[in-house]
Amino acid sequence: MANSEQKDLRVGTLNWVYRELIPDTPNNKPPVVMLHGLVCQSYSWRDVMPALGEYGFRSIAPDWIGHGSSSKPDIRQFDYKQETYIQALSDYLDALELDRFSLVVQGFLGVTGLLYAAQNPDKIERLIILNTPLPPTADLPFRVKMMGWPFVGDMMTQDPLLVDRTLEGAGPYQVADEDLDIYRRPFLKSSDVGRALMWTIRAMKVPQITEQIAQGFADWQPPTLVAWGQSDPWLSAEGAKDFANGLANGDYVGLDQVGHYAQEDWAEKVSEAIVPFLRQQDML
């Protein structure tokens, strides 16, 4: 079985660092693009990608701009607003020459992927949503909001231990030390990642975004799976079920004992949910 490789791609002034797994025996299906959430990285998909590769799926997982090893531009060059993120994502996917793909989104940054999908439904083969704000009642948790506050946010986002507190505070498990080391590394290398996180949170207006999602998905047709870590302390499973039930081709599956960062908490359960859903293409 092939392993994922870390690559980078320059798109305009931005450098995207991403993981890609090309299977030994491709299945000729559209590739799968996986987007991580706040205070996270493409590393979180490390155990899901081989499960997809086992069934012939090429998978691509980028570090968002401002996260991981991708560019962390100054706010004067990149304002970290949703429309700016959507355009950056669109440019990145175009540079990869992806005309059609399945999309997996997770977390609060996952809303960018959903808004992109709503604007480009013809590009989306299948959509998978993991613990991403969906109903109008969703909002950033208080502690994450604090990361965007003046003065307080400046201090919080420069502390590498915020990674531990955030990843472990959003689910029922401790993250292994060797994995936390990788998540902390960007914060230890440069203050830019903390500032980018602060600017991202400051610009994120979740109630307005979920309203845009509701409008954008009113006539959504591509098959969609909402797979939900039910031990998420931040986002309601009931809102996720309602969203899935409101789609023409939506389905919901609950992931027991899994938190907000589902792919980090229990990659096997995530894989068991999404691989059969993606393989259903064979029966269409």
Side-chain angles (χ1 to χ4, degrees):
M1 170 54 62
N3 294 315
S4 63
E5 296 182 16
Q6 184 166 297
K7 301 180 179 181
D8 63 273
L9 179 64
R10 192 82 178 175
V11 184
T13 61
L14 300 174
N15 192 59
W16 290 80
V17 174
Y18 63 102
R19 293 170 180 270
E20 181 175 19
L21 189 148
I22 299 176
D24 295 328
T25 307
N27 62 10
N28 297 318
K29 303 298 180 185
V32 182
V33 175
M34 297 183 287
L35 304 176
H36 67 80
L38 286 169
V39 197
C40 200
Q41 299 177 30
S42 60
Y43 180 73
S44 64
W45 300 107
R46 65 194 178 279
D47 293 326
V48 177
M49 298 177 87
L52 293 172
E54 184 178 347
Y55 290 93
F57 287 98
R58 174 191 174 198
S59 55
I60 298 162
D63 286 349
W64 276 113
I65 297 301
H67 281 67
S69 298
S70 289
S71 292
K72 292 132 190 114
D74 185 84
I75 197 167
R76 291 169 292 185
Q77 283 76 48
F78 187 93
D79 63 16
Y80 293 88
K81 293 179 180 178
Q82 279 304 302
E83 54 268 26
T84 307
Y85 263 124
I86 293 167
Q87 185 60 58
L89 176 63
S90 180
D91 293 343
Y92 167 70
L93 295 171
D94 286 348
L96 287 174
E97 300 181 347
L98 299 182
D99 296 324
R100 191 167 178 84
F101 54 92
S102 290
L103 180 64
V104 185
V105 302
Q106 180 271 322
F108 287 90
L109 277 174
V111 295
T112 305
L114 292 181
L115 292 174
Y116 170 87
Q119 294 174 15
N120 300 275
D122 56 311
K123 292 181 177 288
I124 307 301
E125 179 80 6
R126 288 182 167 245
L127 177 64
I128 298 170
I129 303 171
L130 299 168
N131 296 75
T132 298
L134 296 169
T137 53
D139 204 354
L140 288 166
F142 180 72
R143 186 166 186 84
V144 175
K145 279 186 179 180
M146 289 175 64
M147 296 178 194
W149 289 2
F151 305 114
V152 174
D154 288 276
M155 291 186 291
M156 289 182 68
T157 56
Q158 293 303 319
D159 180 2
L161 292 179
L162 79 87
V163 172
D164 308 45
R165 299 186 191 108
T166 305
L167 295 181
E168 295 183 340
Y173 303 105
Q174 287 188 318
V175 181
D177 286 340
E178 59 267 29
D179 297 325
L180 286 172
D181 285 344
I182 291 172
Y183 286 120
R184 291 189 204 113
R185 195 171 298 161
F187 291 87
L188 295 169
K189 282 185 174 181
S190 169
S191 60
D192 290 347
V193 67
R195 282 195 292 270
L197 175 61
M198 181 180 65
W199 290 326
T200 301
I201 291 168
R202 221 172 254 183
M204 186 173 286
K205 312 299 182 188
V206 175
Q208 292 92 318
I209 292 168
T210 53
E211 180 59 32
Q212 292 174 24
I213 290 170
Q215 293 173 7
F217 280 78
D219 297 314
W220 181 255
Q221 296 300 318
T224 300
L225 175 67
V226 179
W228 209 258
Q230 298 192 117
S231 295
D232 186 339
W234 296 343
L235 295 172
S236 160
E238 290 306 313
K241 289 178 187 176
D242 290 344
F243 183 87
N245 291 335
L247 299 176
N249 295 294
D251 198 7
Y252 174 89
V253 60
L255 305 177
D256 291 334
Q257 302 177 55
V258 177
H260 179 75
Y261 296 96
Q263 72 274 26
E264 179 61 48
D265 278 357
W266 207 324
E268 293 83 1
K269 284 194 176 185
V270 171
S271 301
E272 288 168 5
I274 71 173
V275 169
F277 175 73
L278 291 167
R279 293 186 72 210
Q280 285 175 16
Q281 296 170 98
D282 296 336
M283 298 183 287
L284 293 178

